[in-house]
Amino acid sequence: MNKKMRQTLMLTAILVCWACDSEQQHVTVSPFGEPAQTSALTAEAFRTYGEEMFDDDESFDEMTSSDRWFYLNDPFYARIENAEMEVANFVAHDFNDVDICMTMPQLNDTIILMHLDRVPGYYKSRIPSPLSSEDMLLATRSGKTVRFTNAHLLSSSEYKVFPVCDDPVFANVRKITMKTRIKWRVSNSGNWRPLTPEITRYFAAMMLNVAACFSTPEFREALLTYTSADNPNDPFPPETCVHNDNGEAVDREKLLNTILNKNELVCGDVWGYGGLGGGTTFGINMIYMGPASFFFRNRVDMSGVNGGSHLVIHELGHCVGMGHSSSMAGGYASIGHYIFPNVYKQLLKEGRLPYQMDPFKGSNDYNPGESEDGNVDDDVVE
């Protein structure tokens, strides 16, 4: 940005100065108590700027394009570029009363750029940037008023923009620390079926729940403390019950970090096998994982989660370098057969995953009012 045109920010009561290059910039407290003029969009207006994602009418090319990639730790985001703000929601859930907020290194407060009445699930909009005006009065979350002058000259490196809302699904999504970018497979030769919008919707939802489970302290604790002495079905001795293909004990903390920092997965639908995985290739036979709802709590009997968990962990194991003799992808894999499904099902029951029920199913045979004593999902996975 041109130094002569740096923005001036005015708050309400104090003067704070900081050095920037060769000149001084100022943040001051205005004594006039001018009201903020934060812009807002109704749900209807927001939709006019955007498009549904993974809709049944969406073409294969559009559905698998880079415009449909997302990061598991940032599936609901806002970005400002070229005088537009992109707001994208890769969560199958409508978020209401959303504030688009901004922070800057020089400020100890959070600025509310815009209020959105509703952001629909699987929806992306590009709206005029709220930073396009030369002079603005904006509210902060602490109740102050900030004056921006020449805000349109800010570079993206000088601020961070993000959505905020009071919603338990939003809270669960924000706890995800798995940094993987999700992409969609384009090639359909061999044992790969073409992705459909329905399968892609389920795949995106399933991966958010998987990532949320990996991100919890409970999963870390279960992985680090697991011993085959507590699991009669595990044929390996306690000292090597989490092992590599050579039967050697692995550094469990390092393994978890490798999973959480996997750079990307190219997801696709497989036929003829339960799945295919390795490198960035992550294929699941979605006959087992899609509308069958094995990863959601639509059934009183959740025993399907056991097999589904093993399948996902097996292929993910290949993607992090584990082979068919390891604890992720072996015949008996303690992580996929025991550790992950036990934690996952417990988190489902506690309402701590992004999706508890199948978000695409109009009805289910799970009755939350029923006593859960004796339900299969209360049983320990063995």
Side-chain angles (χ1 to χ4, degrees):
M1 187 195 325
N2 187 326
K3 295 178 186 176
K4 304 297 184 183
M5 304 180 72
R6 304 292 275 188
Q7 75 283 2
T8 299
L9 307 177
M10 302 193 69
L11 289 174
T12 331
I14 56 172
L15 176 65
V16 179
C17 298
W18 72 91
C20 181
D21 296 328
S22 61
E23 63 182 9
Q24 294 249 318
Q25 298 197 32
H26 302 83
V27 180
T28 62
V29 176
S30 166
F32 303 111
E34 298 167 282
Q37 301 167 348
T38 304
S39 57
L41 276 182
T42 64
E44 181 179 357
F46 180 81
R47 293 182 71 92
T48 63
Y49 286 102
E51 59 186 357
E52 293 185 29
M53 299 184 291
F54 313 135
D55 181 73
D56 286 339
D57 296 327
E58 190 165 64
S59 71
F60 178 83
D61 289 343
E62 187 174 20
M63 183 182 65
T64 58
S65 71
S66 60
D67 202 44
R68 298 296 183 258
W69 302 348
F70 69 97
Y71 287 89
L72 291 172
N73 65 336
D74 195 23
F76 178 29
Y77 66 80
R79 298 173 186 157
I80 294 178
E81 187 176 5
N82 299 326
E84 284 188 327
M85 182 168 70
E86 179 178 281
V87 179
N89 181 12
F90 284 88
V91 185
H93 178 79
D94 294 354
F95 292 109
N96 297 316
D97 292 321
V98 176
D99 285 334
I100 302 299
C101 296
M102 182 176 78
T103 56
M104 302 177 71
Q106 302 90 343
L107 296 177
N108 295 320
D109 209 341
T110 299
I111 298 165
I112 303 173
L113 285 180
M114 177 175 282
H115 180 80
L116 305 174
D117 284 353
R118 177 178 300 160
V119 178
Y122 288 161
Y123 207 86
K124 179 179 287 190
S125 283
R126 293 177 178 87
I127 59 183
S129 169
L131 292 179
S132 59
S133 302
E134 293 188 7
D135 188 32
M136 297 184 298
L137 288 171
L138 298 173
T140 70
R141 291 183 69 81
S142 68
K144 299 183 178 69
T145 299
V146 177
R147 179 180 292 280
F148 270 88
T149 302
N150 293 324
H152 61 295
L153 299 176
L154 283 166
S155 69
S156 59
S157 63
E158 295 179 277
Y159 59 86
K160 179 181 178 181
V161 176
F162 52 92
V164 173
C165 71
D166 183 14
D167 186 300
V169 175
F170 182 84
N172 286 335
V173 165
R174 277 291 175 240
K175 294 174 184 176
I176 295 174
T177 59
M178 189 171 177
K179 301 175 183 177
T180 309
R181 178 170 62 179
I182 297 299
K183 300 169 65 173
W184 306 108
R185 186 176 177 87
V186 176
S187 173
N188 301 309
S189 59
N191 290 92
W192 296 91
R193 277 188 292 255
L195 284 166
T196 65
E198 180 185 41
I199 290 302
T200 308
R201 290 193 296 267
Y202 270 104
F203 220 131
M206 178 186 75
M207 291 309 296
L208 277 186
N209 266 16
V210 169
C213 183
F214 279 133
S215 301
T216 60
E218 285 80 2
F219 179 80
R220 178 179 179 274
E221 179 71 12
L223 177 63
L224 297 185
T225 62
Y226 172 76
T227 172
S228 57
D230 298 331
N231 180 10
N233 293 300
D234 192 334
F236 295 92
E239 59 271 18
T240 58
C241 58
V242 178
H243 57 87
N244 60 22
D245 287 282
N246 297 322
E248 302 163 337
V250 300
D251 183 329
R252 302 185 192 190
E253 191 80 68
K254 183 177 180 181
L255 175 60
L256 179 57
N257 287 334
T258 300
I259 294 170
L260 294 177
N261 290 289
K262 179 67 180 176
N263 61 335
E264 71 178 31
L265 293 172
V266 182
C267 302
D269 188 15
V270 171
W271 68 271
Y273 300 97
L276 292 170
T280 61
T281 298
F282 186 71
I284 299 294
N285 190 328
M286 293 300 286
I287 286 177
Y288 305 117
M289 307 303 294
S293 306
F294 287 153
F295 258 56
F296 307 104
R297 203 176 180 187
N298 286 70
R299 295 179 174 85
V300 173
D301 179 351
M302 283 178 54
S303 58
V305 170
N306 305 358
S309 296
H310 172 54
L311 178 56
V312 170
I313 300 304
H314 181 106
E315 302 309 335
L316 185 60
H318 290 323
C319 293
V320 297
M322 293 284 204
H324 284 145
S325 297
S326 72
S327 290
M328 286 190 76
Y332 185 87
S334 56
I335 298 175
H337 280 110
Y338 189 92
I339 301 173
F340 182 90
N342 273 324
V343 176
Y344 185 92
K345 291 166 74 172
Q346 187 61 38
L347 294 172
L348 267 183
K349 290 198 290 183
E350 294 174 357
R352 294 173 54 202
L353 296 176
Y355 308 104
Q356 319 308 319
M357 297 293 182
D358 184 337
F360 314 111
K361 199 170 181 180
S363 61
N364 62 78
D365 57 9
Y366 175 75
N367 182 356
E370 240 177 66
S371 169
E372 295 194 350
D373 294 338
N375 283 353
V376 175
D377 62 316
D378 280 345
D379 295 340
V380 172
V381 180
E382 298 180 352

